[in-house]
Amino acid sequence: MACFMPMVLGMWFLAGALSLVIGVTLGLLGGGGSILTLPMLVYVMSVDAKPAIASSLFVVGVTSFVGTLGHARAGRVKWHVGGLFGVSGMAGAFAGGKVAAFVPGTLLLLGFGAMMLLTSFAMIRGRREGADDGGRPVSVVKALALGASVGFVAGMVGAGGGFLVVPSLVLIGGLAMKEAVATSLLVITMQSVAGFAGHVTHVSLDWTLLAVVTGAAVVGSLFGARLTKRFAPATLRKAFGWLVLAMGLFLLIKNLPFTRSIGPS
């Protein structure tokens, strides 16, 4: 018992420290929070996949809302694009959360990892020179279609959707990277609320753990939002891409059938 208590306290301390990093990542890059939250809950705090997915949506949703306020004061949020993208994304995320009840947890984690790899390649490669300046108009139809499709995938696999929203806003929507980072937090907030509503009806959650993780992540997001202006758009885009690539490979390696079967008998 004497050894057990320090171990438990150590796990909670690690969860709080990682949550600070999650918040900084979300505030700085406009995404990446769920990429770190979901593995942390599953592999550090030993939460089962489906409750971890719902918990991730809650943490990322609250943290993104706080981050949106900071970016809005700096005038970086594109409300029209974000609103269109977010409303359709909420419908998609709610549907994705409902569908997830019928999909095995391991398959959801594999889908999460695969989508991260595809996105990372696009972000690292980027658009042609000068595209990071943004300025192209975004059509209503395109914003609604992108929002619904991204929301469905994000809601099903438990992501706030930043790793899909930011590339969509930059690579397809035509926003500058810093605008996409800020606007994505608005979209992620909306999608996370809807996705959480779809999941919470079929899972039970540890609200004490959620309070600790969310509180630490919020503090980190406020600091991350302040760091955004210190980095060039191309630097942010590539950093985001490499982060997504690393975590996508980690999730695939941990959940592919032939890797899960390797170990001592």
Side-chain angles (χ1 to χ4, degrees):
M1 187 68 174
C3 294
F4 178 72
M5 286 302 295
M7 183 181 300
V8 172
L9 290 174
M11 289 176 61
W12 280 81
F13 178 81
L14 180 58
L18 290 174
S19 299
L20 281 172
V21 176
I22 288 165
V24 171
T25 303
L26 198 56
L28 178 62
L29 299 178
S34 56
I35 293 169
L36 298 173
T37 305
L38 186 59
M40 183 268 289
L41 291 170
V42 173
Y43 299 114
V44 175
M45 300 305 293
S46 301
V47 180
D48 290 338
K50 290 190 177 182
I53 286 171
S55 299
S56 174
L57 287 167
F58 179 87
V59 173
V60 173
V62 173
T63 309
S64 297
F65 174 73
V66 175
T68 301
L69 299 180
H71 282 287
R73 285 195 294 268
R76 290 188 288 265
V77 178
K78 296 298 181 183
W79 296 101
H80 176 67
V81 175
L84 288 172
F85 206 111
V87 167
S88 60
M90 290 180 75
F94 183 79
K98 287 293 188 182
V99 170
F102 307 101
V103 182
T106 298
L107 189 57
L108 291 174
L109 292 176
L110 285 172
F112 188 94
M115 289 303 301
M116 288 164 67
L117 289 186
L118 292 174
T119 301
S120 69
F121 296 147
M123 291 301 288
I124 292 169
R125 182 169 177 263
R127 295 184 288 152
R128 59 185 178 274
E129 187 176 354
D132 276 336
D133 294 335
R136 289 186 291 110
V138 183
S139 71
V140 173
V141 173
K142 181 185 289 186
L144 292 175
L146 284 172
S149 57
V150 168
F152 179 82
V153 174
M156 185 168 67
V157 302
F163 71 91
L164 295 170
V165 176
V166 172
S168 297
L169 293 174
V170 172
L171 302 172
I172 302 173
L175 297 188
M177 183 63 189
K178 290 183 180 180
E179 294 174 346
V181 166
T183 305
S184 75
L185 291 173
L186 171 64
V187 177
I188 292 167
T189 301
M190 298 170 73
Q191 288 185 170
S192 294
V193 169
F196 179 76
H199 279 273
V200 75
T201 56
H202 54 82
V203 296
S204 59
L205 304 176
D206 184 339
W207 289 101
T208 302
L209 176 61
L210 274 180
V212 171
V213 172
T214 303
V218 165
V219 172
S221 72
L222 295 174
F223 180 68
R226 289 179 174 272
L227 292 177
T228 303
K229 60 185 178 182
R230 297 178 180 270
F231 295 91
T235 301
L236 287 176
R237 173 175 50 76
K238 290 183 179 180
F240 189 97
W242 285 111
L243 174 66
V244 174
L245 176 62
M247 295 308 299
L249 288 172
F250 173 79
L251 278 180
L252 289 176
I253 290 170
K254 291 289 289 186
N255 290 281
L256 285 171
F258 66 85
T259 59
R260 287 188 290 118
S261 65
I262 297 173
S265 58

